[in-house]
Amino acid sequence: MTAITSTAYSRDLGDELRRLRENCTSFGGRAMAAQLGWDPSKVSNIETGKARASEIDLAQYLATCGKDLDYLLDFTSRYRHAFDLYFAQVPTNLRTLAMVEAMATKMYVYEILAIPGLLQTEAYARAMFLETGHESLDDIAGFVALRMERQAIWRRPYRPECVFFVHELALRMRIGDAKIMEDQYLRLLFNAHIVRIIPASAVGLALQSMITLFEFGKASPLAYTESDLAKVFAQDTSAVTATRKLISRLDAVALDEEQSRSVLAAYVSGLGEDPHDRRADLA
């Protein structure tokens, strides 16, 4: 077992091991350690992603959980990249992202053409999946449900400190009908204390990629971005530094809380002005 800086993926896979132990054995952490002949701290550090398990460690652990060779080979293949400072996942894998959001103490989120997922209404999320045309109708309900489940962080007594930078282009991008957009604007208004609008005139910032910076109580900061092809997590110092610089630029250009609130209220009022054009006027 090797002590090393933990990553979002190492914590995710460590938690997967913990769940296996709890679901497939009757052992608590100390009993599992005794069964394996390990120090109790070794089980704890592996399950929290604070230390890299060797292939022999994984074989012993998974065998105790009743898993076969095929399971071991699959998990070992994934675990090989657990401590990489850059790693990518398929876009449908939400487990690591949800865990990162749940553990974060601070989040700085920047979106350009869509409302951030953690602030989307259910109807907006559904309409967005329909608009993209990438998912089958059978899958959309599941993806929407998962997005709503991620929003459970707002119901917790200790919520992360958040700032959502939303480019005005996302407000102009009409998703669904006027009722869907009205409800979405009102959701943003309700959360105006954590929403900062980037004016449409900030064209240079519209050319950036969407990005999120996560900060944690004890773990290292993490930068995150995504596309239709992959979700990318970067814990490398240069990536985090570049993300902090972008956030500083956003903070300098963004409207303050009251200004953002006024812009959002104007979008609610303006919905009745052109009821036939549901597409964004990006001119």
Side-chain angles (χ1 to χ4, degrees):
M1 182 183 72
T2 305
I4 196 169
T5 301
S6 70
T7 68
Y9 200 30
S10 73
R11 294 190 290 273
D12 182 8
L13 292 182
D15 188 64
E16 185 175 332
L17 290 173
R18 177 189 62 79
R19 290 170 182 254
L20 280 175
R21 170 177 59 77
E22 293 177 347
N23 293 330
C24 300
T25 79
S26 59
F27 300 134
R30 285 187 170 275
M32 184 70 161
Q35 180 72 15
L36 293 167
W38 295 356
D39 186 277
S41 64
K42 181 172 179 175
V43 171
S44 175
N45 288 335
I46 289 175
E47 290 183 349
T48 55
K50 295 179 180 178
R52 181 191 290 275
S54 69
E55 291 192 8
I56 292 176
D57 290 337
L58 291 176
Q60 293 174 340
Y61 190 105
L62 292 173
T64 304
C65 293
K67 298 303 177 181
D68 61 16
L69 181 59
D70 287 340
Y71 193 100
L72 171 63
L73 293 175
D74 173 73
F75 189 89
T76 302
S77 176
R78 290 185 288 134
Y79 195 80
R80 189 170 295 117
H81 302 286
F83 292 86
D84 292 354
L85 295 182
Y86 281 90
F87 71 95
Q89 293 182 328
V90 295
T92 54
N93 186 341
L94 293 175
R95 177 187 161 99
T96 303
L97 176 60
M99 190 171 181
V100 167
E101 290 171 342
M103 292 180 63
T105 56
K106 293 183 180 180
M107 280 189 275
Y108 301 90
V109 180
Y110 179 44
E111 281 278 4
I112 300 97
L113 296 179
I115 305 304
L118 289 175
L119 294 177
Q120 289 178 7
T121 66
E122 184 172 345
Y124 179 96
R126 183 180 299 106
M128 192 172 70
F129 281 119
L130 286 169
E131 290 278 6
T132 61
H134 293 312
E135 310 297 344
S136 71
L137 293 177
D138 291 338
D139 291 335
I140 286 175
F143 284 117
V144 171
L146 288 171
R147 184 156 296 182
M148 295 302 103
E149 287 176 15
R150 285 169 51 203
Q151 296 183 9
I153 62 172
W154 303 127
R155 298 191 292 273
R156 296 176 180 174
Y158 301 103
R159 305 171 188 172
E161 179 183 329
C162 297
V163 179
F164 291 90
F165 294 100
V166 181
H167 202 286
E168 194 172 354
L169 294 180
L171 304 181
R172 294 183 178 188
M173 193 71 71
R174 298 293 180 89
I175 304 296
D177 58 25
K179 174 60 175 172
I180 288 174
M181 291 308 300
E182 180 182 23
D183 289 345
Q184 184 60 72
Y185 292 149
L186 290 173
R187 167 73 67 86
L188 295 176
L189 267 173
F190 181 78
N191 291 283
H193 59 293
I194 56 174
V195 174
R196 304 277 304 281
I197 302 299
I198 304 297
S201 58
V203 176
L205 289 172
L207 300 177
Q208 298 285 333
S209 299
M210 61 82 64
I211 196 75
T212 300
L213 178 68
F214 295 100
E215 295 185 355
F216 309 94
K218 296 181 180 179
S220 301
L222 171 70
Y224 168 81
T225 190
E226 65 181 54
S227 70
D228 290 339
L229 299 179
K231 297 181 182 297
V232 180
F233 299 80
Q235 200 166 303
D236 178 73
T237 301
S238 62
V240 172
T241 299
T243 303
R244 290 195 190 281
K245 288 181 179 179
L246 175 58
I247 289 169
S248 294
R249 288 180 59 199
L250 293 169
D251 185 60
V253 172
L255 304 180
D256 63 24
E257 178 181 335
E258 289 307 313
Q259 291 170 329
S260 297
R261 192 186 300 274
S262 296
V263 167
L264 291 168
Y267 273 91
V268 173
S269 304
L271 279 172
E273 295 178 2
D274 189 7
H276 302 294
D277 183 9
R278 53 189 295 275
R279 296 291 177 180
D281 177 10
L282 300 181

